Coordinates of all heavy atoms in Angstrom, one line a residue:
R99 N 30.3 -173.6 230.1 CA 30.5 -174.9 229.5 C 31.7 -174.9 228.7 O 32.2 -173.8 228.3 CB 29.3 -175.3 228.5 CG 29.2 -174.4 227.3 CD 27.9 -174.7 226.5 NE 27.8 -173.8 225.3 CZ 28.3 -174.1 224.2 NH1 29.0 -175.2 224.0 NH2 28.2 -173.3 223.1
I100 N 32.3 -176.0 228.4 CA 33.6 -176.1 227.6 C 33.1 -176.4 226.2 O 32.5 -177.4 225.9 CB 34.5 -177.2 228.1 CG1 34.8 -177.0 229.6 CG2 35.7 -177.3 227.3 CD1 35.5 -175.7 229.9
P101 N 33.4 -175.5 225.3 CA 32.9 -175.7 223.9 C 33.7 -176.8 223.2 O 34.9 -177.0 223.5 CB 33.2 -174.3 223.3 CG 34.3 -173.7 224.1 CD 34.1 -174.2 225.5
S102 N 33.1 -177.5 222.3 CA 33.7 -178.5 221.5 C 34.5 -177.8 220.4 O 34.4 -176.6 220.2 CB 32.7 -179.4 220.9 OG 31.9 -178.8 220.0
L103 N 35.3 -178.6 219.7 CA 36.1 -178.0 218.6 C 35.2 -177.5 217.6 O 35.5 -176.4 216.9 CB 37.1 -179.1 218.0 CG 38.3 -179.5 218.9 CD1 39.1 -180.6 218.2 CD2 39.1 -178.3 219.2
Y104 N 34.1 -178.2 217.3 CA 33.1 -177.7 216.3 C 32.5 -176.4 216.8 O 32.4 -175.4 216.0 CB 32.0 -178.7 216.1 CG 30.9 -178.3 215.3 CD1 31.0 -178.3 213.9 CD2 29.7 -177.7 215.7 CE1 30.0 -177.9 213.0 CE2 28.7 -177.3 214.9 CZ 28.8 -177.3 213.6 OH 27.8 -176.9 212.7
D105 N 32.1 -176.3 218.1 CA 31.6 -175.1 218.6 C 32.6 -173.9 218.4 O 32.2 -172.8 218.0 CB 31.2 -175.2 220.1 CG 30.1 -176.1 220.3 OD1 29.2 -176.3 219.4 OD2 30.0 -176.7 221.4
L106 N 33.8 -174.2 218.7 CA 34.9 -173.2 218.6 C 35.0 -172.7 217.2 O 35.1 -171.4 216.9 CB 36.2 -173.7 219.1 CG 36.4 -173.9 220.6 CD1 37.8 -174.5 220.9 CD2 36.3 -172.5 221.3
G107 N 35.0 -173.6 216.2 CA 35.1 -173.3 214.8 C 33.9 -172.4 214.3 O 34.1 -171.5 213.5
V108 N 32.7 -172.7 214.9 CA 31.5 -171.9 214.5 C 31.5 -170.6 215.2 O 31.1 -169.6 214.6 CB 30.3 -172.8 214.8 CG1 29.0 -171.9 214.7 CG2 30.2 -174.0 213.9
M109 N 31.9 -170.5 216.4 CA 31.7 -169.3 217.3 C 32.9 -168.3 217.0 O 32.6 -167.1 217.1 CB 31.7 -169.7 218.8 CG 30.5 -170.4 219.2 SD 30.7 -171.2 220.8 CE 31.1 -169.8 221.8
L110 N 34.1 -168.8 216.9 CA 35.2 -167.9 216.9 C 35.2 -166.7 215.9 O 35.5 -165.6 216.2 CB 36.5 -168.7 216.7 CG 37.1 -169.3 217.9 CD1 38.3 -170.2 217.6 CD2 37.5 -168.3 219.0
P111 N 34.8 -167.0 214.6 CA 34.7 -165.9 213.7 C 33.8 -164.7 214.1 O 34.2 -163.6 214.0 CB 34.2 -166.5 212.3 CG 34.6 -168.0 212.5 CD 34.5 -168.3 214.0
G112 N 32.6 -165.1 214.6 CA 31.6 -164.1 215.0 C 32.1 -163.3 216.2 O 32.0 -162.1 216.3
I113 N 32.8 -164.0 217.2 CA 33.3 -163.3 218.4 C 34.5 -162.4 218.0 O 34.5 -161.2 218.4 CB 33.7 -164.4 219.5 CG1 32.5 -165.1 220.0 CG2 34.4 -163.6 220.6 CD1 32.8 -166.2 221.0
V114 N 35.4 -162.9 217.3 CA 36.7 -162.2 217.0 C 36.3 -161.0 216.2 O 36.7 -159.8 216.5 CB 37.7 -163.0 216.3 CG1 38.8 -162.2 215.8 CG2 38.2 -164.2 217.2
V115 N 35.6 -161.2 215.1 CA 35.2 -160.0 214.2 C 34.3 -159.1 215.0 O 34.5 -157.8 214.8 CB 34.6 -160.5 212.9 CG1 34.1 -159.4 212.1 CG2 35.6 -161.4 212.1
G116 N 33.3 -159.6 215.7 CA 32.4 -158.7 216.4 C 33.1 -157.8 217.4 O 32.8 -156.6 217.5
L117 N 34.0 -158.4 218.3 CA 34.7 -157.6 219.2 C 35.6 -156.6 218.6 O 35.7 -155.4 219.0 CB 35.5 -158.5 220.1 CG 34.8 -159.4 221.1 CD1 35.7 -160.3 221.9 CD2 33.9 -158.6 222.1
T118 N 36.3 -157.0 217.5 CA 37.2 -156.1 216.8 C 36.5 -154.9 216.2 O 37.0 -153.8 216.4 CB 38.0 -156.9 215.7 OG1 38.8 -158.0 216.4 CG2 39.0 -156.0 215.0
I119 N 35.5 -155.2 215.5 CA 34.7 -154.1 214.8 C 34.1 -153.2 215.9 O 34.1 -152.0 215.7 CB 33.6 -154.7 214.0 CG1 34.2 -155.4 212.8 CG2 32.7 -153.6 213.5 CD1 35.0 -154.5 211.8
H120 N 33.7 -153.8 217.0 CA 33.0 -153.0 218.1 C 34.1 -152.0 218.6 O 33.8 -150.8 218.7 CB 32.6 -153.9 219.2 CG 31.9 -153.3 220.3 ND1 30.5 -153.3 220.5 CD2 32.4 -152.5 221.3 CE1 30.2 -152.7 221.6 NE2 31.3 -152.1 222.1
E121 N 35.2 -152.4 219.0 CA 36.2 -151.6 219.6 C 36.9 -150.6 218.6 O 37.1 -149.4 218.9 CB 37.3 -152.4 220.2 CG 36.8 -153.3 221.4 CD 36.1 -152.5 222.5 OE1 36.5 -151.3 222.7 OE2 35.3 -153.1 223.1
F122 N 37.1 -151.1 217.3 CA 37.6 -150.2 216.3 C 36.6 -149.1 216.0 O 37.0 -147.9 215.8 CB 37.8 -151.0 215.0 CG 38.1 -150.2 213.8 CD1 39.3 -149.6 213.7 CD2 37.2 -149.9 212.8 CE1 39.6 -148.8 212.6 CE2 37.4 -149.1 211.7 CZ 38.7 -148.6 211.6
S123 N 35.3 -149.3 216.1 CA 34.3 -148.3 215.8 C 34.4 -147.2 216.9 O 34.3 -146.0 216.6 CB 32.9 -148.9 215.8 OG 32.8 -149.8 214.7
H124 N 34.6 -147.6 218.2 CA 34.8 -146.7 219.2 C 36.0 -145.8 218.9 O 35.9 -144.5 219.0 CB 35.1 -147.3 220.6 CG 33.9 -148.0 221.2 ND1 32.7 -147.4 221.2 CD2 33.8 -149.2 221.9 CE1 31.8 -148.3 221.9 NE2 32.5 -149.3 222.3
A125 N 37.1 -146.4 218.5 CA 38.3 -145.7 218.2 C 38.2 -144.7 217.0 O 38.6 -143.6 217.0 CB 39.5 -146.6 218.0
L126 N 37.4 -145.2 216.0 CA 37.2 -144.4 214.8 C 36.4 -143.2 215.0 O 36.8 -142.1 214.6 CB 36.6 -145.3 213.7 CG 36.4 -144.6 212.3 CD1 37.6 -144.3 211.7 CD2 35.5 -145.5 211.4
V127 N 35.4 -143.3 215.8 CA 34.5 -142.2 216.0 C 35.2 -141.2 217.0 O 35.1 -140.0 216.8 CB 33.2 -142.6 216.6 CG1 32.3 -141.4 217.1 CG2 32.3 -143.4 215.6
A128 N 35.9 -141.7 218.0 CA 36.7 -140.8 218.9 C 37.7 -140.0 218.1 O 37.8 -138.8 218.3 CB 37.3 -141.6 220.0
T129 N 38.4 -140.6 217.2 CA 39.4 -140.0 216.3 C 38.7 -138.9 215.4 O 39.3 -137.8 215.3 CB 40.1 -141.0 215.5 OG1 40.8 -141.9 216.4 CG2 41.3 -140.3 214.7
S130 N 37.6 -139.3 214.9 CA 36.9 -138.3 213.9 C 36.4 -137.1 214.7 O 36.2 -136.0 214.1 CB 35.8 -139.0 213.3 OG 34.7 -139.3 214.2
L131 N 36.2 -137.3 216.1 CA 35.7 -136.1 216.8 C 36.9 -135.3 217.4 O 36.7 -134.3 218.1 CB 34.9 -136.6 218.0 CG 33.6 -137.2 217.7 CD1 32.9 -137.8 218.9 CD2 32.6 -136.2 217.0
G132 N 38.1 -135.7 217.1 CA 39.3 -134.8 217.4 C 40.2 -135.4 218.5 O 41.2 -134.7 218.8
D133 N 39.9 -136.6 219.0 CA 40.7 -137.2 220.1 C 41.7 -138.2 219.4 O 41.3 -139.2 218.9 CB 39.9 -137.9 221.1 CG 40.8 -138.5 222.2 OD1 41.8 -138.0 222.5 OD2 40.3 -139.5 222.9
D134 N 43.0 -137.9 219.5 CA 44.0 -138.7 218.9 C 44.5 -139.8 219.9 O 45.4 -140.6 219.6 CB 45.2 -138.0 218.4 CG 46.0 -137.3 219.6 OD1 45.5 -137.2 220.7 OD2 47.1 -136.9 219.3
T135 N 43.9 -140.0 221.1 CA 44.3 -141.0 222.1 C 44.2 -142.4 221.5 O 45.2 -143.2 221.7 CB 43.4 -140.8 223.4 OG1 43.5 -139.5 223.9 CG2 44.0 -141.8 224.4
P136 N 43.1 -142.8 220.9 CA 43.0 -144.2 220.3 C 44.2 -144.5 219.3 O 44.7 -145.5 219.3 CB 41.6 -144.2 219.7 CG 40.9 -143.2 220.4 CD 41.8 -142.1 220.7
R137 N 44.4 -143.5 218.5 CA 45.5 -143.7 217.5 C 46.9 -143.9 218.2 O 47.7 -144.7 217.9 CB 45.6 -142.5 216.6 CG 46.5 -142.7 215.4 CD 46.8 -141.4 214.6 NE 45.6 -140.8 214.1 CZ 45.0 -141.2 212.9 NH1 45.6 -142.1 212.2 NH2 43.9 -140.7 212.5
R138 N 47.1 -143.0 219.2 CA 48.4 -143.0 219.9 C 48.6 -144.4 220.7 O 49.7 -144.9 220.9 CB 48.6 -141.9 220.8 CG 48.8 -140.5 220.1 CD 49.2 -139.4 221.1 NE 48.0 -138.9 221.9 CZ 47.7 -139.2 223.1 NH1 48.5 -140.0 223.8 NH2 46.7 -138.7 223.7
E139 N 47.4 -144.9 221.1 CA 47.4 -146.1 221.9 C 47.4 -147.4 221.0 O 47.2 -148.5 221.6 CB 46.3 -146.1 222.9 CG 46.4 -145.1 224.0 CD 47.6 -145.3 224.9 OE1 47.9 -146.5 225.1 OE2 48.2 -144.3 225.4
G140 N 47.4 -147.2 219.7 CA 47.4 -148.3 218.8 C 46.1 -149.0 218.6 O 46.0 -150.2 218.3
R141 N 45.0 -148.3 218.9 CA 43.6 -148.9 218.8 C 42.8 -148.6 217.6 O 41.8 -149.1 217.4 CB 42.8 -148.5 220.1 CG 43.5 -148.9 221.4 CD 43.8 -150.3 221.5 NE 42.5 -151.1 221.5 CZ 41.7 -151.3 222.5 NH1 42.0 -150.8 223.7 NH2 40.6 -152.0 222.4
L142 N 43.4 -147.7 216.8 CA 42.7 -147.4 215.5 C 43.2 -148.4 214.5 O 43.9 -148.0 213.5 CB 43.1 -146.0 215.0 CG 42.2 -145.3 213.9 CD1 40.7 -145.3 214.4 CD2 42.7 -144.0 213.5
T143 N 42.8 -149.6 214.7 CA 43.3 -150.7 213.8 C 42.3 -151.8 213.8 O 41.4 -152.0 214.8 CB 44.6 -151.3 214.4 OG1 45.0 -152.5 213.6 CG2 44.5 -151.7 215.8
L144 N 42.2 -152.6 212.8 CA 41.4 -153.8 212.7 C 42.0 -155.1 213.1 O 41.6 -156.2 212.8 CB 40.8 -153.9 211.2 CG 39.8 -152.9 210.9 CD1 39.4 -152.9 209.4 CD2 38.4 -153.1 211.7
S145 N 43.2 -155.0 213.7 CA 43.9 -156.1 214.2 C 43.2 -156.6 215.5 O 43.2 -155.9 216.5 CB 45.4 -155.9 214.5 OG 46.0 -156.9 215.2
P146 N 42.7 -157.9 215.5 CA 42.1 -158.4 216.7 C 43.1 -158.4 217.9 O 42.6 -158.2 219.1 CB 41.7 -159.8 216.4 CG 41.6 -159.8 214.9 CD 42.7 -158.8 214.4
L147 N 44.4 -158.5 217.7 CA 45.3 -158.6 218.8 C 45.4 -157.3 219.6 O 45.7 -157.3 220.8 CB 46.7 -158.9 218.2 CG 46.8 -160.3 217.6 CD1 48.3 -160.5 217.0 CD2 46.5 -161.4 218.6
S148 N 45.0 -156.2 219.0 CA 45.0 -154.9 219.7 C 43.8 -154.7 220.6 O 43.8 -153.8 221.4 CB 45.1 -153.8 218.6 OG 46.3 -153.9 217.9
H149 N 42.7 -155.5 220.3 CA 41.5 -155.3 221.0 C 41.0 -156.4 221.9 O 40.2 -156.1 222.9 CB 40.3 -155.0 219.9 CG 40.6 -153.9 219.0 ND1 40.6 -152.6 219.4 CD2 40.8 -153.8 217.7 CE1 40.8 -151.8 218.4 NE2 41.0 -152.6 217.4
I150 N 41.4 -157.6 221.8 CA 40.9 -158.7 222.5 C 41.7 -158.9 223.8 O 43.0 -158.9 223.8 CB 41.0 -160.0 221.7 CG1 39.9 -159.9 220.5 CG2 40.7 -161.2 222.5 CD1 39.9 -161.1 219.6
D151 N 41.0 -158.9 224.9 CA 41.6 -159.3 226.2 C 41.5 -160.7 226.4 O 40.4 -161.4 226.3 CB 40.8 -158.5 227.3 CG 41.3 -158.8 228.7 OD1 40.9 -159.8 229.3 OD2 42.1 -158.0 229.2
P152 N 42.6 -161.4 226.7 CA 42.6 -162.9 226.7 C 41.7 -163.4 227.8 O 40.9 -164.4 227.5 CB 44.1 -163.2 227.2 CG 44.9 -162.0 226.7 CD 44.0 -160.8 226.8
V153 N 41.6 -162.9 229.0 CA 40.7 -163.4 230.0 C 39.3 -163.2 229.6 O 38.4 -164.1 229.7 CB 41.0 -162.8 231.4 CG1 39.9 -163.2 232.4 CG2 42.4 -163.1 231.8
G154 N 38.9 -161.9 229.2 CA 37.6 -161.6 228.7 C 37.1 -162.5 227.5 O 36.0 -162.9 227.5
F155 N 38.1 -162.8 226.7 CA 37.7 -163.6 225.5 C 37.5 -165.0 225.9 O 36.5 -165.6 225.4 CB 38.9 -163.5 224.5 CG 38.7 -164.3 223.3 CD1 37.9 -163.8 222.3 CD2 39.4 -165.5 223.0 CE1 37.7 -164.5 221.1 CE2 39.3 -166.2 221.8 CZ 38.4 -165.7 220.9
L156 N 38.3 -165.6 226.8 CA 38.1 -166.9 227.3 C 36.7 -167.1 228.0 O 36.0 -168.0 227.7 CB 39.2 -167.4 228.2 CG 39.1 -168.8 228.8 CD1 39.2 -169.8 227.7 CD2 40.2 -169.0 229.8
L157 N 36.4 -166.1 228.8 CA 35.1 -166.1 229.5 C 33.9 -166.1 228.5 O 32.9 -166.7 228.7 CB 34.9 -165.0 230.5 CG 35.6 -165.2 231.8 CD1 35.6 -164.0 232.7 CD2 35.1 -166.4 232.5
L158 N 34.1 -165.3 227.4 CA 33.0 -165.3 226.4 C 32.8 -166.6 225.8 O 31.6 -167.0 225.5 CB 33.4 -164.3 225.2 CG 32.9 -162.8 225.4 CD1 33.5 -162.0 224.3 CD2 31.4 -162.8 225.3
L159 N 33.8 -167.4 225.6 CA 33.7 -168.8 225.0 C 33.0 -169.8 226.0 O 32.2 -170.6 225.5 CB 35.1 -169.3 224.6 CG 35.8 -168.6 223.4 CD1 37.1 -169.1 223.2 CD2 34.9 -168.7 222.2
I160 N 33.4 -169.7 227.2 CA 32.9 -170.7 228.2 C 31.7 -170.3 229.1 O 31.0 -171.1 229.6 CB 34.0 -171.2 229.1 CG1 34.6 -170.2 230.0 CG2 35.2 -171.8 228.2 CD1 35.6 -170.7 231.0
A161 N 31.6 -169.0 229.2 CA 30.5 -168.5 230.1 C 29.5 -167.6 229.4 O 28.4 -167.3 230.0 CB 31.1 -167.8 231.3
G162 N 29.7 -167.2 228.2 CA 28.8 -166.4 227.5 C 28.8 -164.9 227.8 O 28.1 -164.1 227.3
F163 N 29.8 -164.5 228.7 CA 30.0 -163.1 228.9 C 31.5 -162.9 229.2 O 32.2 -163.7 229.6 CB 29.2 -162.6 230.1 CG 29.6 -163.1 231.4 CD1 30.6 -162.4 232.2 CD2 29.2 -164.3 232.0 CE1 31.0 -162.9 233.4 CE2 29.6 -164.8 233.2 CZ 30.5 -164.1 233.9
G164 N 31.9 -161.7 228.8 CA 33.3 -161.3 228.9 C 33.6 -159.9 228.5 O 32.6 -159.1 228.6
W165 N 34.8 -159.6 228.0 CA 35.0 -158.2 227.7 C 36.2 -158.1 226.7 O 37.0 -159.1 226.6 CB 35.3 -157.4 228.9 CG 36.5 -157.9 229.8 CD1 37.8 -157.7 229.6 CD2 36.3 -158.9 230.8 NE1 38.5 -158.5 230.5 CE2 37.6 -159.1 231.3 CE3 35.2 -159.5 231.5 CZ2 37.9 -160.0 232.3 CZ3 35.5 -160.3 232.5 CH2 36.7 -160.6 233.0
A166 N 36.3 -157.0 226.0 CA 37.5 -156.7 225.2 C 38.2 -155.6 225.9 O 37.8 -155.1 227.0 CB 37.0 -156.3 223.8
K167 N 39.3 -155.2 225.4 CA 40.1 -154.1 226.0 C 39.4 -152.8 225.7 O 39.1 -152.5 224.6 CB 41.5 -154.0 225.3 CG 42.4 -155.2 225.6 CD 43.7 -155.1 224.9 CE 44.6 -156.3 225.1 NZ 45.8 -156.2 224.2
P168 N 39.0 -152.0 226.7 CA 38.4 -150.7 226.5 C 39.3 -149.8 225.7 O 40.5 -149.8 225.9 CB 38.1 -150.2 227.9 CG 38.3 -151.4 228.8 CD 39.2 -152.3 228.2
V169 N 38.7 -149.1 224.8 CA 39.4 -148.1 224.0 C 39.7 -146.8 224.9 O 38.7 -146.2 225.3 CB 38.7 -147.7 222.7 CG1 39.4 -146.5 222.0 CG2 38.6 -148.9 221.8
P170 N 40.9 -146.4 225.1 CA 41.2 -145.2 225.9 C 40.7 -144.0 225.1 O 41.0 -143.8 223.9 CB 42.7 -145.2 226.1 CG 43.2 -146.0 225.0 CD 42.1 -147.1 224.6
V171 N 39.9 -143.1 225.7 CA 39.4 -141.9 225.1 C 39.5 -140.8 226.1 O 39.2 -140.9 227.3 CB 37.9 -142.1 224.6 CG1 37.3 -140.8 224.2 CG2 37.8 -143.2 223.6
N172 N 39.8 -139.6 225.6 CA 39.8 -138.3 226.3 C 38.7 -137.4 225.8 O 39.0 -136.8 224.8 CB 41.2 -137.7 226.3 CG 41.2 -136.4 227.2 OD1 40.2 -136.0 227.8 ND2 42.4 -135.9 227.4
P173 N 37.5 -137.4 226.4 CA 36.5 -136.6 225.9 C 36.7 -135.1 225.8 O 36.0 -134.4 225.0 CB 35.3 -136.9 226.8 CG 35.9 -137.4 228.1 CD 37.2 -138.1 227.7
Y174 N 37.7 -134.6 226.6 CA 38.0 -133.2 226.6 C 38.8 -132.8 225.3 O 39.0 -131.6 225.1 CB 38.7 -132.8 227.8 CG 37.9 -133.0 229.1 CD1 38.0 -134.2 229.9 CD2 36.8 -132.2 229.4 CE1 37.3 -134.4 231.0 CE2 36.0 -132.4 230.4 CZ 36.2 -133.5 231.3 OH 35.4 -133.7 232.3
N175 N 39.2 -133.8 224.5 CA 39.8 -133.5 223.2 C 38.8 -133.3 222.1 O 39.1 -132.9 221.0 CB 40.8 -134.6 222.8 CG 42.1 -134.5 223.7 OD1 42.4 -133.5 224.2 ND2 42.7 -135.7 223.8
F176 N 37.5 -133.7 222.4 CA 36.5 -133.7 221.4 C 36.1 -132.3 221.0 O 36.2 -131.3 221.8 CB 35.2 -134.4 221.9 CG 35.3 -135.9 222.1 CD1 34.5 -136.5 223.0 CD2 36.3 -136.6 221.5 CE1 34.5 -137.8 223.2 CE2 36.4 -138.0 221.7 CZ 35.5 -138.6 222.6
R177 N 35.7 -132.2 219.8 CA 35.1 -130.9 219.3 C 33.7 -130.9 219.8 O 32.9 -131.9 219.6 CB 35.1 -130.8 217.8 CG 36.5 -130.6 217.2 CD 36.5 -130.5 215.7 NE 35.9 -131.7 215.0 CZ 36.7 -132.7 214.7 NH1 38.0 -132.7 214.9 NH2 36.2 -133.8 214.1
G178 N 33.3 -129.9 220.5 CA 31.9 -129.9 221.1 C 31.9 -130.4 222.5 O 32.9 -130.5 223.2
E179 N 30.7 -130.6 223.0 CA 30.4 -131.0 224.4 C 30.9 -132.4 224.7 O 30.5 -133.3 223.9 CB 28.9 -130.8 224.7 CG 28.6 -130.5 226.1 CD 28.6 -131.8 227.0 OE1 28.2 -132.8 226.5 OE2 29.0 -131.7 228.1
P180 N 31.7 -132.5 225.7 CA 32.4 -133.9 225.9 C 31.4 -135.0 226.1 O 31.6 -136.1 225.6 CB 33.2 -133.7 227.2 CG 33.5 -132.2 227.2 CD 32.3 -131.5 226.6
R181 N 30.3 -134.8 226.8 CA 29.3 -135.9 227.1 C 28.6 -136.3 225.8 O 28.3 -137.5 225.6 CB 28.3 -135.5 228.2 CG 28.9 -135.7 229.6 CD 27.8 -135.8 230.6 NE 27.1 -134.5 230.8 CZ 26.0 -134.3 231.5 NH1 25.5 -135.4 232.1 NH2 25.4 -133.2 231.6
N182 N 28.3 -135.3 224.9 CA 27.7 -135.6 223.6 C 28.7 -136.5 222.8 O 28.3 -137.5 222.2 CB 27.4 -134.4 222.9 CG 26.2 -133.6 223.4 OD1 25.4 -134.2 224.2 ND2 26.0 -132.3 223.1
G183 N 30.0 -136.1 222.9 CA 31.0 -136.9 222.1 C 31.1 -138.3 222.6 O 31.2 -139.3 221.9
M184 N 31.1 -138.4 224.0 CA 31.2 -139.8 224.6 C 30.0 -140.6 224.2 O 30.1 -141.8 224.0 CB 31.3 -139.7 226.1 CG 32.7 -139.4 226.6 SD 34.0 -140.6 226.0 CE 33.3 -142.1 226.6
A185 N 28.8 -140.0 224.1 CA 27.6 -140.7 223.7 C 27.8 -141.3 222.3 O 27.4 -142.4 222.0 CB 26.4 -139.8 223.8
L186 N 28.3 -140.5 221.4 CA 28.5 -140.9 220.0 C 29.5 -142.0 219.9 O 29.4 -143.0 219.2 CB 28.9 -139.7 219.2 CG 27.9 -138.6 218.9 CD1 28.5 -137.5 218.1 CD2 26.7 -139.2 218.1
V187 N 30.6 -141.9 220.7 CA 31.7 -142.9 220.7 C 31.1 -144.2 221.2 O 31.3 -145.3 220.7 CB 32.9 -142.5 221.6 CG1 33.9 -143.6 221.8 CG2 33.6 -141.2 220.9
A188 N 30.3 -144.1 222.3 CA 29.7 -145.3 222.9 C 28.7 -146.0 222.0 O 28.7 -147.2 221.8 CB 29.1 -144.9 224.2
L189 N 27.9 -145.1 221.3 CA 26.9 -145.7 220.4 C 27.5 -146.4 219.2 O 26.9 -147.4 218.7 CB 26.0 -144.6 219.9 CG 24.9 -145.0 218.9 CD1 23.9 -145.9 219.6 CD2 24.1 -143.7 218.5
A190 N 28.7 -146.0 218.8 CA 29.3 -146.6 217.7 C 29.6 -148.1 217.8 O 29.5 -148.9 216.9 CB 30.7 -145.9 217.4
G191 N 29.9 -148.5 219.0 CA 30.2 -149.9 219.3 C 29.0 -150.8 219.0 O 29.0 -151.7 218.2
P192 N 27.9 -150.7 219.8 CA 26.7 -151.5 219.5 C 26.2 -151.4 218.1 O 25.8 -152.4 217.5 CB 25.7 -151.0 220.5 CG 26.5 -150.4 221.6 CD 27.7 -149.8 221.0
L193 N 26.2 -150.2 217.6 CA 25.7 -150.0 216.2 C 26.5 -150.8 215.2 O 25.9 -151.3 214.3 CB 25.7 -148.4 215.9 CG 25.1 -148.1 214.5 CD1 23.6 -148.5 214.4 CD2 25.3 -146.6 214.3
S194 N 27.8 -150.8 215.4 CA 28.6 -151.5 214.5 C 28.3 -153.0 214.5 O 28.4 -153.7 213.5 CB 30.1 -151.3 214.9 OG 30.5 -152.1 216.1
N195 N 27.9 -153.6 215.7 CA 27.5 -155.0 215.7 C 26.3 -155.3 215.0 O 26.1 -156.2 214.3 CB 27.4 -155.4 217.2 CG 28.6 -155.5 217.9 OD1 28.8 -154.8 219.0 ND2 29.6 -156.2 217.5

Side-chain angles (χ1 to χ4, degrees):
R99 66 188 180 88
I100 303 300
S102 66
L103 288 178
Y104 175 81
D105 290 336
L106 287 174
V108 169
M109 292 165 57
L110 280 175
I113 294 175
V114 171
V115 176
L117 292 179
T118 300
I119 293 295
H120 183 106
E121 299 303 329
F122 171 75
S123 297
H124 287 319
L126 181 64
V127 173
T129 302
S130 71
L131 290 174
D133 179 26
D134 66 345
T135 305
R137 186 192 301 276
R138 287 189 285 104
E139 295 293 329
R141 303 302 299 277
L142 192 64
T143 175
L144 287 170
S145 169
L147 296 177
S148 297
H149 300 295
I150 290 177
D151 179 276
V153 175
F155 182 73
L156 180 62
L157 282 174
L158 268 173
L159 290 176
I160 65 174
F163 69 92
W165 55 86
K167 297 177 184 176
V169 173
V171 171
N172 184 351
Y174 296 103
N175 289 334
F176 294 157
R177 294 182 295 272
E179 209 278 324
R181 279 199 294 173
N182 289 341
M184 278 305 301
L186 290 174
V187 171
L189 180 61
L193 184 60
S194 72
N195 292 122

